[in-house]
Each structure stands twice: as C-alpha cells, then as structure tokens.
Amino acid sequence: MRKTDDDQNTVPAGSRRRFLQGALAGGVLASGGASSALAQKRVAPEGGNPKNLPPNVPGWSQVLGDGVAAHPYGKPSKFEKHVIRRDVEWLTASRESSVNFTPLHELDGIITPNGLCFERHHAGAAEINPADHRLMVHGLVDKPLLFTMDDLKRFPRTNRVYFLECAANSGMEWRGAQLNGCQFTHGMVHNVMYTGVLLKHILAEAGLKPNAKWLQIEGADSAAMNRSLPIEKALEDTMVAFKMNGEALRTEQGYPLRLVVPGWEGNLWVKWLRRIEVGDQPWLAREETSKYTDLMGDGRSRRYTFFMDAKSIVTNPSPEAPLKFKGRNVLSGLAWSGRGKVTRVDVSLDGGRNWSEARLDGLVLDRSVTRFYVDFDWQGAELMIQSRAHDSSGYVQPTKDELRKVRGVNSIYHNNGIQTWLVRSNGETENVEIS
Ligand code: MTE
Ligand code: CO
C-alpha cells in the first residue's frame, strides 16, 4: 500500500460495516393517534432515565446548577463528549506528523467550532510565546522588516470566512471506497472566520523590488514547513491571521500567526508563520516537489495545483449518522469551491439517475462552505445518496470516474469526485462507489 504524509491505508474488511443498533426502536411516532404517540415519547431512549420524563419533575429541575465561576472558559455539555476530532491510528507513523478529522456529521450551519477544526502537522504543534514571536520579511524588498505581534495588529484589519481544505482530503478514495465514515473521507476541511491583515499591506511596508515574483512562506514549527506563493495571490487576498472565530488562533491552528490563502490548498496556509522571503522564482520546497504534486496516469506530475475545485458531501445521513426514523427526514450537507461561491447543489437518492436541487440555507459566501438541505420522506427504501456542487465559475463537481479519466489512479491530492452513500432499508449507511 502506498504511504505518504497525507496518504491512508485500506480499512480492514471487517471494520467496513457498522450495524445500526436499535435505531428504529426509539422515538418513532406510533400510528394509533396522538395519545399513543405521546405514550411512545414517555419511553426513555437509550442512555436516558424514565424518572426525568413528564409528568415527573426531572432531576436537574430539583437542584441548583453550577455557579457562574465554575467554567471560566466554557466547554460543550458532557452529553456531547462524542463530538470530537478523531484520527485513524494506522494512518501515519507518528502523532507528530499526522492528521485528525473534523466531525462533519455532528456539525450544522457553516462555522467550524475552534476545538473541532481538523489538525494537520508535519512536526507537531509548536507552542509559541507571542511576546517572543517575530514575523520576518526580507529578500527582494527595499527594507527588510521584523514585526512583533503588536506591530501586526496596528495594520488595517480584515474579517473573512473561508474554508481550508487539505489537498489530501478524500485522497484515500482514489481507487475505490475505503474509509467507512464521513469524518474520515471528508473531514480534512474546516470553515472559520479569520481576523487579520491583508498581506499586501505588510509587503507594501517593506517595498517590493520590480523583480519580486514569488514568496517563500515559512513556519516556526520544527519542520520549518515552507511553500512558494506567487506574488499575484499574495497581493490579491492572502491574509496574515491572528484570530479565528473571534478569539486567538488555537495552538494547533498556528498560534499566534498563520497564513490564510483563500480557495487554495491547505498546505499553503503556513501555521506559526515566522518568515516571508521575496524572490524571483519558486523555491522548489519539499512540499511542492515530492509532496503536493499530482502524479498523473502517464507518470508525469502536475505541479502548483493550488486551487481546491468545487466539492460537496452529504454529512447526514452518512456512515456515522444513519437514518433513524421513517417518514419525515432532513438530509444535510456541505458544498464549497476554491473558485468562488456555491451557486447550486443537486442531490440524487438513486445513485445519480435523478437529481433534484437542494435548498441552500444561511450565508452563501465566496470560498466558504455552504450548507444545504433536502427535506424528504423515507419509508425504508434503499437509497444511493449523492451530491453535486456547482460554482460561480460555471464548474460542476465531477464523478469519480470522470476525474480518473483525466487524472488516472496514481493521485492522492485533489480528489473532489462525487461521494456515494448506500442507505440500507434499516437505515445503516455505508461508503460505496458506483461505476
Ligand atoms: N504549517 C506548518 N508550519 N506546519 C505544518 O505542518 N501543515 C499544512 C498547513 N500549514 C502545516 C502548516 C497542511 S498540510 C494543512 S492541510 C494545513 O496547515 C492544516 O491546517 P489546520 O491544522 O489548521 O487544519
Ligand atoms: Co494538508
């Protein structure tokens, strides 16, 4: 089995199937009218206690709750303990050079909470004292500069919501369905509001020489992870961010400073940002030669495939979120594009034969994830669920076969093919592929 930094192995066959336990047992409205429906609702579901159900006064209504000082920094309810980032143990050799995944099937709306943003580190998460952190700008500039964090916060500030997707997201699915979970097939994406400074302001302060064409961006982690960025993108919309969702970046996400490169592959979003060197050509760094290039069918490689093309995923139902009820159901998912806004999402329940337009809900923003829903009635028929994103550039998300026709099967990165979930008549949902 091939293995790279972001590559993943095959799941052992036995773990491919998860069975739904008692999924249809609780909460289904009985057909005998309102009173028997009410009676059903008085049965405590799994993990519950009938003593808390009406007409009793539940335990929590009989005692005082925690006082205001109990949690100076808030955390989720203890009943949400399962909503966590997860990794796949056999995926990489060490925790320091590894990845975990956003629990997409547990989230709604478009913002990823800070504690649930997937992490991808090449040498662990550096713990940086912001007082000692500096951003260095040098190379083909009029005056090399060193910025403190306070200096950076005195430039005009910008707030933007953007998705970050690792180029390796869904990378293990190139040769067929592998990982039986939405979190593991699509969870290398998060969507955050960043606060920071447009890089063009910082470069203007240093003064670019006329032959400035590329930047080398480097992190302060022990991998000193570096990438080359074309000057046009640096001057267009690239940001240097110090806040995510209103608070300081999390250590895992690059505290105190990271690069934000809207719509482009996650590897360019250098964390723990410490150095920007201006040059006249790319640096041919490890991460843009042996990694983050796309090996084609004929053995040649595509280099600098920066854009993340339009993609979508049905997060519910999915293998971790099977269908539980007959009758009224909500299908939910996310769509995004590195080339603009999501303009439309189609959903098929029969493996791509018939499509209907999903309902986009909430904010539809440029290079941010967009939430979509299909409200549908399910009577236990087997379904083959797919979603297909359209973006403002006119691009339509391809099938996996269409992608393979162009790219072959040697690829790891940039797999934006249409995902299929098979929903069985008991609601159990599985990662499959139709060809
Ligand atoms: N920056 C540094 N300094 N070191 C790293 O290992 N990983 C890159 C990028 N920036 C990395 C880095 C990769 S491959 C991705 S996909 C994103 O950070 C992941 O960002 P996240 O951990 O906030 O999800
Ligand atoms: Co990555």
Side-chain angles (χ1 to χ4, degrees), residues 314 317 331 347-349 351 383-387 419-423:
V314 171
L331 179 152
V347 168
S348 173
L349 300 180
L383 308 175
M384 295 269 216
I385 298 183
Q386 300 186 332
S387 64
Q419 172 68 42
T420 310
W421 301 130
L422 164 66
V423 181

Side-chain angles (χ1 to χ4, degrees), residues 280-329:
D280 57 2
Q281 51 191 319
W283 270 259
L284 304 178
R286 172 188 183 272
E287 308 294 332
E288 56 204 27
T289 50
S290 84
K291 310 292 176 195
Y292 302 100
T293 58
D294 304 322
L295 183 57
M296 306 293 280
D298 64 4
R300 291 184 301 165
S301 284
R302 278 186 184 168
R303 190 170 57 169
Y304 301 127
T305 46
F306 296 130
F307 281 92
M308 299 309 294
D309 281 320
K311 187 163 171 178
S312 65
I313 180 66
V314 171
T315 56
N316 305 75
S318 63
E320 305 98 318
L323 282 184
K324 291 206 252 178
F325 308 110
K326 291 202 174 140
R328 182 193 295 176
N329 271 285

Side-chain angles (χ1 to χ4, degrees), residues 6 99 118 120 122 164-169 188 225 265-268 292 413:
D6 280 320
V99 61
F118 85 93
R120 171 75 182 101
H122 289 75
L164 180 168
E165 184 183 16
C166 180
N169 199 21
M188 275 196 258
M225 213 210 75
E265 66 185 14
N267 186 257
L268 290 154
Y292 302 100
Y413 307 113

Side-chain angles (χ1 to χ4, degrees), residues 6 85 96-100 102 117-124 164-168 188-190 194 218-227 244 250 252-254 258-259 265-273 287 292:
D6 280 320
R85 303 187 279 221
E96 292 74 25
S97 177
S98 194
V99 61
N100 60 20
T102 308
C117 288
F118 85 93
E119 306 167 66
R120 171 75 182 101
H121 315 312
H122 289 75
L164 180 168
E165 184 183 16
C166 180
M188 275 196 258
V189 64
H190 53 61
Y194 294 97
E218 187 185 79
D221 49 341
S222 64
M225 213 210 75
N226 62 331
R227 280 292 302 253
M244 59 192 289
R250 291 289 167 91
E252 307 92 290
Q253 265 66 48
R258 93 173 299 167
L259 202 69
E265 66 185 14
N267 186 257
L268 290 154
W269 298 47
V270 172
K271 302 190 277 190
W272 313 291
L273 175 65
E287 308 294 332
Y292 302 100

